[in-house]
Amino acid sequence: MKRLFGTDGIRGVVGELMTPGFGVEMGMAIGTFLGKGKIVIATDTRTTKDMMKNAVVSGVVSTGIDVLDLGIAPTPALQFAIPYFKADLGVIITASHNPPNFNGIKCIDGDGTELPREKEEKIENIFFKKKYKYAGWENIGKISNEKINEEYVNAIKKQVNVDLIKKAGLKVVLDCANGAGCFTAPYLLESLGCRVVALNAQPMGVPAHNSEPTPENLQELVKTVKAVGADLGIAHDGDADRAVFVDEKGNYIPGEKTLAFLAGEIVRENKGGLVVTAVSSSSSVEEVVKKYGGEVEYTKVGSPIIARVMRKKKGVFGGEENGGLIFPSFQYCRDGGMAAAKVLEVMAKSKKTLSELIASVPTYFLYKTKIPCPEEKKEKVMEIFIELMKKEKHKLNTIDGVKVCTDKGWMLVRPSGTEPIYRIFAESKNMEEAKNLAEKGKKMIEKIVEKG
Ligand code: MG
């Protein structure tokens, strides 16, 4: 069966996959799947937000489900709204960091975590078979408008020591990427006593820079942190479920360093505990977590999977290396606002600069490469590769592709879900070793593919 939902909901170009007709039918499929109850819906700031939202809402109410429309809100605020309004499901109209000609539809389960794959399949099944349930004119769902952003900000503040952060009086340059964070992040930081210089805080559908928070896209933030002598810079992506940081010297902090640093802090606060992250994450996370007496559990790549494992195994923290951080004391989803508040709290508590704090995280180097492999050979190639690695007596993790742990570092070989290739990642304490490991893996895969 064809798939519509990827790891982060349905994404597509407006006018191609993302049309009003598609929105209506997806709304009908979601409503039919739910059967009864109510949903909450929100959007990011894209120019097509209302077109897609109104289409989805129209489809949902046709099945007899009520809709609370929250307007523009970050994805984590929408997730917070589900238990807040006792809704049965959430829908967020966003394509996160994708360019402005994209939009997307993501469903959140009644527990505030992204819908698991089995439920997405049920919705896809209804969509492809067009087995929609119509409620009839007398039972059409009701649409009402509600607000969540202020409550979401207040709820984050209950998670941190507000007085302590206020006392520190930190100066922050904030880059909202003209996204949904414009409606929460400046207010959160100001109410935590920060002096805020806000960049790209106008909620325009066409952002001033691409909203993927990479070093290339955050040049203005880096420059401004240095120019105004700020204590740190914070950037969100388009739907503000992620946060990345810049230190007081204007250094962009890679996401895996923030992940490892916060994992260490939270494990230390909890005097131990489980941290959950994807098998592709840096060894720096495990190194820091173990130092403070915690453990790491590795999962398949994808934040919904990480969140569900955290819930099941009572993890104290989790996340991804792209700035998607999950704080279970608040909610089981990536939360850019919560990540910002937590970093401010750690800075205030320690009275250290962000560069000093991050310096405690060991540096590893990641090398990436890829190798072509025909789709029909992928499974067999992987089997043979695993057998060869077993003979070399390396520690293996096969939860997502195969991760080979050696004394010099690790190598991860994963089949691409969208292209006829294998992706190879290797990490080590020096770049040369990482490259050697990856190239060794690449040669082995190449040989196996040739032998066929
Ligand atoms: Mg996002």
Side-chain angles (χ1 to χ4, degrees), residues 16 33 40 68 70 98 160 293 319 341 402 432 435:
E16 291 175 15
F33 159 76
V40 285
L68 299 186
L70 306 175
N98 284 134
V160 290
V402 59
E432 200 54 31
K435 192 180 169 188

Side-chain angles (χ1 to χ4, degrees), residues 415-426:
S416 160
T418 49
E419 295 170 71
I421 56 167
Y422 266 104
R423 293 188 194 283
I424 302 169
F425 307 81

